Amino acid sequence: MSPKDEMNGKDVKTVILQAAKKLFALKGFEGTTVRQICDEAGVSLALVSYHFGGKENVFYALFEPLRHYFAKMHYDLADPVADLREFIEKFVDYRYEERYLICILQQELMMKSPRVEKLTYAIFPTWEQLRNILQAGMDQGAVRFPSLEFAVNFTMGTIISSMLDPYLNPMEDKREMTPAEAAQLTVKFVFNGLGIDIKQ
């Protein structure tokens, strides 16, 4: 049986990526082996080499959807405050959909791992869009913050960390905040920090 036939027609690459995403988020890149990925995915070792060529390529492939998701968005910057609100809402929503992926991104950025430089291709469109929105807001006087780079980093850091960590924030009622609720609070927090008047 060829590698293509294994898994009985399932999308082998997707199964491998889903398994890798979970393991990289829980164990980190260094703590995850190809064998663990294969065991989690229920595929043979040969399939990772066949489809990706190795663990690093699996890792970078995980970020392709993030790059495409934000690269296809367009903001005309006529109303940068509305654009910023939409950007935050979409990112928070994406963060809820892709918990493991954003967790991996957090880990890599915090550790300043050797993979961050190569990840730039995937995350650059997101940072660049935010930078353009904030620059337009500053130019129009809607964003009152003295440093563009600080504003970009402050905003992105807030958005990336827009989910409560149950270990650091034990919730009495155990009700998880919805993406819409988290987005609303994130918008309020970021707007206040940037000196933007929140329009109801």
Side-chain angles (χ1 to χ4, degrees):
M1 178 186 293
S2 72
K4 286 183 179 179
D5 294 330
E6 196 167 325
M7 301 283 293
N8 296 321
K10 288 183 183 177
D11 188 339
V12 180
K13 290 177 73 172
T14 299
V15 171
I16 292 170
L17 288 171
Q18 291 300 324
K21 190 189 304 181
K22 177 182 176 182
L23 290 171
F24 287 146
L26 298 177
K27 298 174 175 285
F29 179 83
E30 302 297 343
T32 301
T33 66
V34 174
R35 181 172 292 281
Q36 288 171 334
I37 293 170
C38 293
D39 289 346
E40 179 74 22
V43 302
S44 66
L45 279 167
L47 282 171
V48 171
S49 295
Y50 177 81
H51 287 290
F52 297 98
K55 184 171 82 167
E56 279 208 357
N57 290 338
V58 173
F59 179 84
Y60 294 125
L62 289 174
F63 288 89
E64 279 295 323
L66 174 68
R67 183 174 72 86
H68 290 299
Y69 182 79
F70 284 95
K72 69 183 180 183
M73 291 181 187
H74 174 72
Y75 301 95
D76 62 18
L77 305 180
D79 185 348
V81 172
D83 290 340
L84 181 57
R85 182 185 295 274
E86 181 183 348
F87 179 90
I88 292 171
E89 289 171 349
K90 286 185 176 177
F91 198 103
V92 171
D93 193 54
Y94 188 85
R95 195 205 185 307
Y96 269 76
E97 287 180 18
E98 289 288 352
R99 296 168 187 245
Y100 286 144
L101 185 65
I102 302 301
C103 180
I104 296 166
L105 180 59
Q106 281 180 298
Q107 292 173 11
E108 295 294 310
L109 292 173
M110 288 181 69
M111 294 183 341
K112 293 182 172 61
S113 84
R115 293 166 295 281
V116 168
E117 186 174 348
K118 194 167 178 182
L119 277 180
T120 302
Y121 82 97
I123 60 179
F124 180 77
T126 316
W127 256 260
E128 190 65 12
Q129 282 182 337
L130 179 59
R131 184 176 284 106
N132 291 338
I133 292 169
L134 291 173
Q135 181 66 70
M138 289 178 174
D139 292 344
Q140 295 179 23
V143 175
R144 295 179 291 279
F145 200 79
S147 166
L148 176 62
E149 292 310 311
F150 266 89
V152 172
N153 288 320
F154 161 80
T155 303
M156 192 57 78
T158 301
I159 298 171
I160 288 176
S161 301
S162 60
M163 287 181 67
L164 298 177
D165 188 326
Y167 299 105
L168 300 177
N169 303 285
M171 296 175 284
E172 289 183 13
D173 62 3
K174 302 295 182 187
R175 185 186 75 84
E176 183 174 325
M177 193 173 291
T178 68
E181 290 171 331
Q184 185 178 12
L185 288 177
T186 306
V187 167
K188 184 175 181 180
F189 187 82
V190 170
F191 277 28
N192 283 334
L194 295 175
I196 299 172
D197 292 327
I198 300 180
K199 300 172 184 176
Q200 300 300 329

